[in-house]
């Protein structure tokens, strides 16, 4: 047999489309040509595969070797195809039985010595090959990641020789068993019980969690804004399996080393610095990689010191905030990454940070304050449902305040309120579309009239009005009440303090 086929997988966003490696040996001057890979990748792959084969004791066929990776229009960068290419050459030259390749997929980079190196994106490959009922052979260093996929048969190998031994039926390859931890791991370090006082901010955090609303904390330094924000993942409902697999797939393709067991079903919390580039935040690059907003999928994106971020970068967030995904366009194709995150932002009330502090140390003028608050991207602020002030607490009071309620207790209420929303409308209140919102948040004629007067008085926009309805609905859900009432509306109005800046 001088023609062999080996199955492997490419990486396209969080998808892993099937790639067929065809290897053909023919008479002629010894040469190796690789069709379908960019030139630099071809050269590196050729060199690695040749050395790996020779160093593993195989013959490198003195023939004309033509290798084709099909389909032609898939991204084919990187060393992920090394193992499949090496096996293709071995099968075409009769050094492994071609029949043994059937029903298998292979992924992994080779070292010159023939060891298998880990590659990014193994989890999406495993999920897909499980659907196709194939056995997936992965590098041993990727076994932890592959173990998150319970629907595929994955086998781990450390070297090319282990793989060929397995194909000859001489040795076994350890089956990667589904090693998901049964319980969700919670970082004990971050519990809401640590936050003392700040009842209004805690309440807003609970509402944000319950309805999936975005939230902005405004307050001077040291009042616990960062502390509060980092505790949001711990009060959100536990992740569903599907969500967890998507989140893990994003980590997988980002190529960042992760403790898969520790991270499984833990909602991400990402806090990119305000100097982060647009690409770091939303994703991109020559070989598109997911950005912070995708790494925060199913979790929380925290933007501290919001006015410090460049407006241009913040404006890019608007689209994913609405759609829950980010599309990165390239000349040849566009790639979609998931980006369904909850946004928490924090900012000081003024340039010096101490506006409203009882010490009176703030000397910022009204104009400076307006400019500072106004420099934040208006369209982004407009997508943040809840604005809440986090006032300074005198140190003595902070000391005396008893520990707050634990995250576990708050999470119970959040879960109950979420369930109300899912049963009623199949999505969170934050995710309600216009028509759904009007249907779900119906007010009595009295309350409707009252709210209109309040809106007029506070000079809120139509958008602000809609946000108030949704927040009021979440407050009612936390209470377990069917009818959105006056008390809910009044509380909700209190969370739109920044609206006056949005209009100017
Ligand atoms: N309400 C609070 N309860 C307990 N500790 C607090 C509180 N507010 C501030 N602290 C303490 O002050 C430190 C700074 O808080 P941080 O959340 O970073 O403030 P901010 O982000 O508002 O500047 C925290 O690490 C914590 O030790
Ligand atoms: Mg902070």
């Amino acid at each position: 047999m001088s023609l062999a086929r080996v199955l492997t997988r490419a990486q396209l966003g969080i998808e892993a489309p099937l790639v067929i490696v065809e290897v053909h040996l023919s008479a002629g001057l010894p040469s190796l040509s690789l069709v379908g890979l960019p030139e630099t990748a071809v050269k590196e792959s050729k060199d690695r595969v040749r050395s790996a084969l020779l160093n593993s004791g195989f013959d490198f066929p003195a023939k004309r070797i033509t290798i084709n990776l099909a389909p032609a229009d898939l991204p084919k960068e990187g060393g992920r195809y090394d193992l499949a290419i090496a096996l293709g050459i071995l099968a075409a030259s009769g050094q492994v039985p071609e029949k043994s390749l059937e029903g298998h997929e292979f992924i992994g980079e080779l070292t010159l010595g023939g060891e298998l190196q880990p590659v990014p994106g193994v989890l999406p490959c495993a999920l897909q090959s499980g659907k196709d009922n194939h056995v997936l052979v992965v590098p041993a260093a990727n076994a932890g990641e592959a173990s998150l996929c319970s629907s595929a048969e994955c086998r781990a190998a450390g070297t090319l020789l282990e793989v060929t031994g397995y194909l000859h039926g001489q040795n076994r390859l350890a089956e990667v068993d589904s090693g998901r931890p049964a319980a969700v791991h919670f970082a004990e370090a971050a519990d809401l019980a640590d936050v003392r006082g700040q009842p209004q901010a805690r309440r807003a955090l609970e509402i944000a969690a319950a309805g999936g609303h975005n939230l902005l904390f405004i307050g001077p330094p040291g009042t616990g804004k960062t502390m509060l924000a980092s505790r949001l993942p711990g009060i959100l409902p536990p992740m569903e399996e599907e969500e967890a697999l998507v989140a893990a797939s994003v980590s997988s393709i980002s190529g960042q080393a992760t403790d898969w067991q520790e991270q499984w079903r833990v909602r991400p919390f990402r806090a990119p610095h305000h100097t982060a580039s647009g690409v770091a935040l939303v994703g991109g690059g020559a070989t598109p990689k997911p950005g912070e907003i995708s790494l925060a999928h199913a979790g929380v994106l925290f933007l501290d010191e919001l006015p410090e971020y460049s407006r241009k970068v913040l404006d890019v967030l608007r689209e994913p905030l609405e759609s829950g995904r980010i599309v990165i366009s390239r000349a040849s194709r566009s790639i979609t990454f998931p980006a369904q995150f909850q946004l928490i932002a924090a900012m000081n009330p003024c340039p010096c940070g101490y506006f409203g502090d009882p010490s009176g140390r703030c000397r910022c003028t009204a104009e400076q304050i307006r400019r500072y608050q106004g420099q934040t991207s208006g369209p982004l602020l407009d997508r943040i449902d809840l604005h809440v002030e986090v006032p300074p607490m005198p140190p003595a009071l902070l000391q005396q305040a008893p520990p707050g309620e634990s995250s576990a207790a708050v999470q119970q209420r959040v879960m109950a309120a979420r369930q109300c929303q899912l049963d009623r409308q199949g999505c969170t209140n934050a995710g309600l579309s216009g028509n759904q919102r009007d249907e779900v948040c119906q007010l009595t004629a009295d309350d409707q009239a009252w709210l209109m007067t309040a809106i007029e008085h506070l000079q809120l926009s139509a958008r602000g009005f809609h946000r108030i309805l949704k927040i009021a609905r979440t407050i009612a859900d936390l209470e377990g009440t069917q009818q959105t009432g006056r008390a809910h509306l009044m509380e909700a109005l209190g969370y739109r303090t920044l609206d006056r800046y949005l209009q100017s």
Side-chain angles (χ1 to χ4, degrees):
M1 168 62 78
S2 58
L3 177 70
R5 288 161 185 261
V6 187
L7 300 182
T8 183
R9 289 192 180 270
Q11 184 187 312
L12 192 65
I14 60 163
E15 308 286 310
L18 195 68
V19 169
I20 302 169
V21 178
E22 296 171 312
V23 178
H24 183 226
L25 303 187
S26 53
L29 278 182
S31 67
L32 192 156
S33 62
L34 233 159
V35 186
L37 272 183
E39 209 160 321
T40 47
V42 170
K43 179 156 178 12
E44 290 170 7
S45 198
K46 269 187 199 173
D47 292 348
R48 277 193 308 266
V49 168
R50 184 195 306 267
S51 298
L53 286 173
L54 292 174
N55 287 322
S56 303
F58 293 106
D59 288 331
F60 195 82
K63 297 254 171 97
R64 229 179 96 158
I65 307 174
T66 311
I67 300 172
N68 180 41
L69 274 66
D73 64 337
L74 283 173
K76 298 187 202 92
E77 68 284 324
R80 59 195 295 119
Y81 308 112
D82 286 359
L83 177 60
I85 291 173
L87 291 174
I89 294 174
L90 290 176
S93 57
Q95 299 182 82
V96 299
E98 180 167 30
K99 198 132 184 64
S100 65
L101 298 171
E102 271 173 25
H104 284 74
E105 296 173 14
F106 302 87
I107 185 149
E109 181 170 330
L110 287 168
T111 64
L112 304 186
E115 286 101 22
L116 275 173
Q117 295 279 90
V119 295
V122 164
L123 179 57
C125 293
L127 291 169
Q128 202 55 53
S129 82
K131 281 186 193 146
D132 290 348
N133 267 318
H134 289 158
V135 177
L136 177 70
V137 176
V138 303
N142 286 127
E145 179 181 342
S147 75
L148 297 181
C149 170
S150 57
S151 56
E153 182 182 336
C154 296
R155 294 185 179 268
T159 62
L160 175 61
L161 276 174
E162 274 179 47
V163 180
T164 53
Y166 163 77
L167 294 172
H168 279 291
Q170 293 160 346
N171 60 264
R172 296 177 52 77
L173 284 183
E175 187 167 351
V176 175
D177 34 49
S178 173
R180 292 177 184 172
V184 178
H185 167 90
F186 272 115
E188 279 165 30
D191 196 287
L192 261 183
D194 308 335
V195 180
R196 293 167 189 261
Q198 303 297 11
Q200 216 208 350
R202 289 181 66 111
R203 169 76 173 163
L205 195 70
E206 183 171 332
I207 295 170
H213 304 284
N214 300 321
L215 168 66
L216 172 65
F217 285 132
I218 308 146
T223 53
K225 300 184 296 297
T226 301
M227 237 183 138
L228 280 155
S230 62
R231 281 156 179 80
L232 176 59
I235 63 169
L236 290 171
M239 276 171 131
E240 300 290 338
E241 158 127 1
E242 193 53 38
E243 270 184 307
L245 284 174
V246 173
S249 292
V250 176
S251 301
S252 168
I253 58 173
S254 77
Q256 293 184 358
T258 307
D259 186 328
W260 297 99
Q261 303 293 313
E262 290 257 305
Q263 290 307 312
W264 174 242
R265 289 184 73 188
V266 174
R267 292 195 184 270
F269 179 81
R270 306 291 302 191
H273 193 253
H274 56 73
T275 52
S277 68
V279 168
L281 214 61
V282 300
T287 309
K289 284 244 181 269
E292 291 289 334
I293 62 170
S294 296
L295 290 163
H297 178 80
V300 175
L301 182 74
F302 177 49
L303 301 181
D304 205 357
E305 320 268 1
L306 189 63
E308 304 292 332
Y309 289 80
S310 98
R311 256 185 119 117
K312 229 173 86 192
V313 167
L314 291 187
D315 281 345
V316 188
L317 292 184
R318 284 155 48 194
E319 217 276 312
L321 270 172
E322 299 280 327
S323 65
R325 63 207 180 93
I326 179 86
V327 180
I328 294 170
S329 297
R330 285 286 170 274
S332 47
R333 67 174 63 80
S334 51
I335 292 175
T336 304
F337 293 119
Q340 213 161 50
F341 58 91
Q342 213 170 326
L343 176 68
I344 293 214
M347 65 188 276
N348 294 333
C350 66
C352 83
Y354 289 95
F355 177 68
D357 193 279
S359 68
R361 62 193 270 193
C362 173
R363 292 274 174 278
C364 301
T365 64
E367 181 50 30
Q368 279 174 319
I369 297 172
R370 197 196 325 277
R371 209 174 319 128
Y372 181 75
Q373 300 199 350
Q375 106 195 14
T376 305
S377 155
L380 180 73
L381 274 188
D382 200 36
R383 282 164 177 81
I384 301 182
D385 288 350
L386 299 151
H387 311 154
V388 62
E389 284 177 48
V390 190
M393 270 174 76
L397 217 73
L398 191 64
Q399 291 269 297
Q400 283 164 19
E405 211 181 355
S406 72
S407 291
V410 178
Q411 190 193 35
Q412 289 304 313
R413 291 196 297 271
V414 167
M415 284 167 67
R418 279 264 176 132
Q419 199 56 52
C420 290
Q421 298 162 50
L422 293 180
D423 291 346
R424 182 178 58 222
Q425 73 224 18
C427 68
T428 60
N429 288 337
L432 283 170
S433 67
N435 290 341
Q436 271 182 312
R437 178 195 58 229
D438 295 342
E439 196 177 307
V440 164
C441 309
Q442 271 180 21
L443 304 178
T444 64
D446 240 19
D447 284 339
Q448 178 82 24
W450 177 86
L451 182 59
M452 292 321 281
T453 316
I455 298 273
E456 215 164 286
H457 188 72
L458 295 168
Q459 300 187 331
L460 298 186
S461 65
R463 276 251 182 90
F465 170 72
H466 293 146
R467 305 219 167 254
I468 284 163
L469 280 181
K470 289 189 196 180
I471 303 163
R473 189 54 247 160
T474 301
I475 295 169
D477 285 332
L478 274 167
E479 198 185 83
T481 311
Q482 300 262 332
Q483 174 67 44
T484 315
R486 184 78 56 98
H488 312 133
L489 292 169
M490 282 173 76
E491 186 179 348
L493 272 169
Y495 298 120
R496 297 299 302 171
T497 53
L498 273 191
D499 277 9
R500 56 206 148 109
Y501 297 105
L502 291 178
Q503 279 133 54
S504 54

Coordinates of all heavy atoms in Angstrom, one line a residue, residues 10-11 19 32-48 67-82 85 286-288 332-333:
A10 N -8.6 20.0 13.1 CA -8.1 21.4 13.0 C -8.7 22.2 14.2 O -9.6 21.6 14.9 CB -8.4 22.0 11.7
Q11 N -8.4 23.4 14.3 CA -9.0 24.2 15.3 C -9.6 25.5 14.7 O -8.9 26.2 14.0 CB -7.9 24.7 16.4 CG -8.5 25.5 17.5 CD -7.4 26.0 18.4 OE1 -6.5 25.3 18.8 NE2 -7.4 27.3 18.7
V19 N -9.9 16.7 9.9 CA -8.9 16.9 8.8 C -8.4 15.5 8.4 O -8.1 14.7 9.3 CB -7.7 17.7 9.2 CG1 -6.6 17.7 8.2 CG2 -8.1 19.2 9.5
L32 N 9.9 15.2 0.0 CA 8.7 15.3 0.8 C 8.0 16.6 0.5 O 8.6 17.7 0.7 CB 9.1 15.2 2.3 CG 7.9 14.9 3.2 CD1 8.4 14.3 4.5 CD2 7.1 16.2 3.5
S33 N 6.8 16.5 -0.1 CA 6.1 17.8 -0.3 C 4.8 17.7 0.5 O 4.1 16.7 0.5 CB 5.9 18.1 -1.7 OG 5.1 17.1 -2.3
L34 N 4.5 18.8 1.1 CA 3.3 18.9 2.0 C 2.4 19.9 1.4 O 2.7 21.1 1.3 CB 3.8 19.3 3.4 CG 3.4 18.5 4.6 CD1 4.3 18.8 5.7 CD2 2.0 18.8 4.9
V35 N 1.2 19.5 1.0 CA 0.2 20.4 0.4 C -0.7 20.9 1.4 O -1.2 20.1 2.2 CB -0.5 19.7 -0.7 CG1 -1.4 20.7 -1.5 CG2 0.4 19.0 -1.7
G36 N -1.0 22.2 1.4 CA -2.1 22.6 2.3 C -1.7 23.2 3.6 O -2.5 23.6 4.4
L37 N -0.4 23.3 3.8 CA 0.1 24.0 5.0 C 0.9 25.2 4.6 O 1.6 25.2 3.6 CB 1.1 23.1 5.8 CG 0.5 22.2 6.9 CD1 1.6 21.4 7.6 CD2 -0.4 22.9 7.9
P38 N 0.8 26.3 5.4 CA 1.7 27.5 5.1 C 3.2 27.1 5.2 O 3.5 26.1 5.9 CB 1.4 28.5 6.2 CG 0.4 27.9 7.1 CD 0.1 26.5 6.6
E39 N 4.0 27.8 4.4 CA 5.4 27.3 4.1 C 6.2 27.1 5.4 O 6.9 26.1 5.5 CB 6.1 28.3 3.2 CG 7.1 27.7 2.4 CD 7.5 28.6 1.2 OE1 6.5 29.2 0.6 OE2 8.6 28.7 0.9
T40 N 6.2 28.1 6.3 CA 7.0 27.9 7.5 C 6.5 26.7 8.3 O 7.4 25.9 8.8 CB 6.9 29.1 8.4 OG1 5.6 29.5 8.6 CG2 7.7 30.3 7.8
A41 N 5.2 26.5 8.4 CA 4.7 25.4 9.2 C 5.1 24.1 8.5 O 5.5 23.1 9.2 CB 3.2 25.5 9.3
V42 N 5.1 24.1 7.2 CA 5.5 22.9 6.5 C 6.9 22.5 6.8 O 7.2 21.3 7.1 CB 5.4 23.1 4.9 CG1 6.0 21.9 4.2 CG2 3.9 23.3 4.5
K43 N 7.8 23.5 6.7 CA 9.2 23.2 6.9 C 9.5 22.6 8.3 O 10.1 21.6 8.4 CB 10.0 24.5 6.7 CG 11.5 24.2 6.9 CD 12.4 25.2 6.2 CE 13.8 25.0 6.4 NZ 14.2 23.7 7.1
E44 N 8.9 23.3 9.3 CA 9.1 22.8 10.7 C 8.5 21.4 10.9 O 9.1 20.6 11.5 CB 8.4 23.8 11.7 CG 9.2 25.1 11.7 CD 8.4 26.2 12.5 OE1 7.4 25.8 13.1 OE2 8.9 27.3 12.5
S45 N 7.3 21.2 10.3 CA 6.7 19.9 10.5 C 7.5 18.8 9.9 O 7.7 17.7 10.5 CB 5.3 20.0 10.0 OG 4.5 18.9 10.5
K46 N 8.0 19.0 8.6 CA 8.8 18.1 7.9 C 10.0 17.7 8.7 O 10.3 16.5 8.9 CB 9.3 18.7 6.6 CG 8.5 18.6 5.4 CD 9.4 19.2 4.3 CE 8.6 19.6 3.1 NZ 9.5 20.3 2.1
D47 N 10.7 18.7 9.3 CA 11.9 18.4 10.0 C 11.6 17.6 11.2 O 12.4 16.6 11.6 CB 12.6 19.7 10.4 CG 13.2 20.4 9.1 OD1 13.2 19.8 8.0 OD2 13.5 21.6 9.2
R48 N 10.6 18.0 12.0 CA 10.3 17.3 13.2 C 9.9 15.8 12.9 O 10.4 14.9 13.6 CB 9.1 18.0 13.9 CG 9.6 19.1 14.8 CD 8.4 19.5 15.7 NE 7.2 19.7 15.0 CZ 6.8 20.9 14.6 NH1 7.5 22.0 14.8 NH2 5.6 21.0 13.9
I67 N 2.2 14.7 0.8 CA 1.2 14.7 1.9 C 0.2 15.8 1.6 O 0.6 16.9 1.3 CB 1.9 14.9 3.2 CG1 3.0 13.8 3.5 CG2 0.9 15.0 4.4 CD1 3.8 14.0 4.7
N68 N -1.1 15.5 1.8 CA -2.1 16.4 1.5 C -3.0 16.5 2.8 O -3.4 15.5 3.3 CB -2.9 16.0 0.3 CG -4.0 17.0 0.0 OD1 -3.8 18.2 0.2 ND2 -5.2 16.5 -0.3
L69 N -3.3 17.7 3.2 CA -4.2 17.9 4.3 C -5.5 18.4 3.8 O -5.6 19.5 3.2 CB -3.6 18.9 5.4 CG -2.7 18.2 6.4 CD1 -1.5 17.7 5.8 CD2 -2.4 19.2 7.5
A70 N -6.6 17.7 3.9 CA -7.9 18.1 3.3 C -8.9 18.2 4.5 O -8.8 17.5 5.5 CB -8.3 17.0 2.4
P71 N -9.9 19.1 4.3 CA -10.1 20.0 3.2 C -9.1 21.1 3.2 O -8.4 21.4 4.2 CB -11.5 20.6 3.5 CG -11.7 20.4 5.0 CD -11.0 19.2 5.4
A72 N -9.0 21.8 2.0 CA -7.9 22.7 1.8 C -8.2 24.0 2.5 O -7.2 24.7 2.8 CB -7.8 23.0 0.3
D73 N -9.4 24.4 2.8 CA -9.6 25.8 3.3 C -9.7 25.8 4.9 O -10.2 26.8 5.4 CB -10.9 26.3 2.8 CG -12.1 25.5 3.2 OD1 -11.9 24.3 3.6 OD2 -13.2 26.1 3.2
L74 N -9.2 24.8 5.6 CA -9.1 24.9 7.0 C -7.8 25.5 7.5 O -6.8 25.4 6.9 CB -9.3 23.5 7.6 CG -10.8 23.0 7.6 CD1 -10.8 21.6 8.0 CD2 -11.7 23.8 8.4
P75 N -7.9 26.1 8.7 CA -6.6 26.6 9.2 C -5.7 25.4 9.6 O -6.2 24.5 10.3 CB -7.0 27.4 10.5 CG -8.4 26.9 10.9 CD -9.0 26.4 9.6
K76 N -4.5 25.5 9.2 CA -3.6 24.3 9.5 C -2.3 24.7 10.0 O -1.3 24.3 9.6 CB -3.5 23.5 8.2 CG -4.8 22.9 7.7 CD -4.5 22.0 6.5 CE -5.8 21.9 5.7 NZ -5.8 22.8 4.6
E77 N -2.3 25.6 11.0 CA -1.1 26.0 11.6 C -0.7 25.1 12.8 O -1.5 24.4 13.3 CB -1.1 27.5 12.0 CG -2.0 27.8 13.2 CD -3.5 27.7 12.8 OE1 -3.8 28.2 11.7 OE2 -4.3 27.3 13.6
G78 N 0.6 25.2 13.0 CA 1.1 24.5 14.3 C 1.5 23.1 14.1 O 1.3 22.5 13.0
G79 N 2.0 22.5 15.2 CA 2.5 21.2 15.1 C 1.5 20.1 15.5 O 1.8 18.9 15.6
R80 N 0.2 20.5 15.6 CA -0.8 19.5 16.0 C -1.0 18.3 15.0 O -1.5 17.3 15.4 CB -2.2 20.2 16.2 CG -2.7 20.9 14.9 CD -3.8 21.9 15.2 NE -5.0 21.3 15.7 CZ -5.5 21.6 16.9 NH1 -4.9 22.4 17.8 NH2 -6.6 21.0 17.3
Y81 N -0.5 18.5 13.8 CA -0.7 17.4 12.8 C 0.5 16.5 12.7 O 0.5 15.5 12.0 CB -0.9 18.0 11.4 CG -2.1 19.0 11.4 CD1 -1.8 20.3 11.2 CD2 -3.4 18.6 11.6 CE1 -2.9 21.2 11.2 CE2 -4.4 19.5 11.7 CZ -4.2 20.8 11.5 OH -5.2 21.7 11.5
D82 N 1.6 16.7 13.5 CA 2.8 15.9 13.4 C 2.5 14.4 13.5 O 3.0 13.6 12.7 CB 3.8 16.3 14.5 CG 4.5 17.6 14.3 OD1 4.2 18.3 13.2 OD2 5.3 18.1 15.2
I85 N 0.7 13.0 10.6 CA 1.6 12.9 9.4 C 2.6 11.7 9.5 O 2.8 11.0 8.6 CB 2.3 14.3 9.2 CG1 1.3 15.3 8.8 CG2 3.5 14.1 8.2 CD1 1.9 16.8 8.8
A286 N -2.9 37.2 14.6 CA -2.7 36.5 13.3 C -3.4 35.1 13.3 O -4.1 34.8 12.4 CB -1.2 36.4 13.0
T287 N -3.1 34.4 14.4 CA -3.9 33.1 14.6 C -4.8 33.5 15.7 O -4.5 33.5 16.9 CB -2.9 32.0 15.1 OG1 -1.8 32.0 14.2 CG2 -3.6 30.7 15.1
P288 N -6.1 33.8 15.3 CA -7.0 34.3 16.3 C -7.1 33.5 17.6 O -7.3 32.3 17.6 CB -8.3 34.4 15.6 CG -8.0 34.5 14.2 CD -6.7 33.6 14.0
S332 N -9.8 35.5 5.0 CA -10.3 34.2 4.5 C -11.6 33.8 5.1 O -12.4 33.1 4.5 CB -9.2 33.2 4.6 OG -8.7 33.2 6.0
R333 N -11.7 34.0 6.4 CA -12.9 33.5 7.1 C -13.1 34.3 8.4 O -12.3 35.1 8.8 CB -12.7 32.0 7.5 CG -11.6 31.9 8.6 CD -11.5 30.5 9.0 NE -11.1 29.6 8.0 CZ -9.9 29.4 7.5 NH1 -8.9 30.1 8.1 NH2 -9.6 28.6 6.6

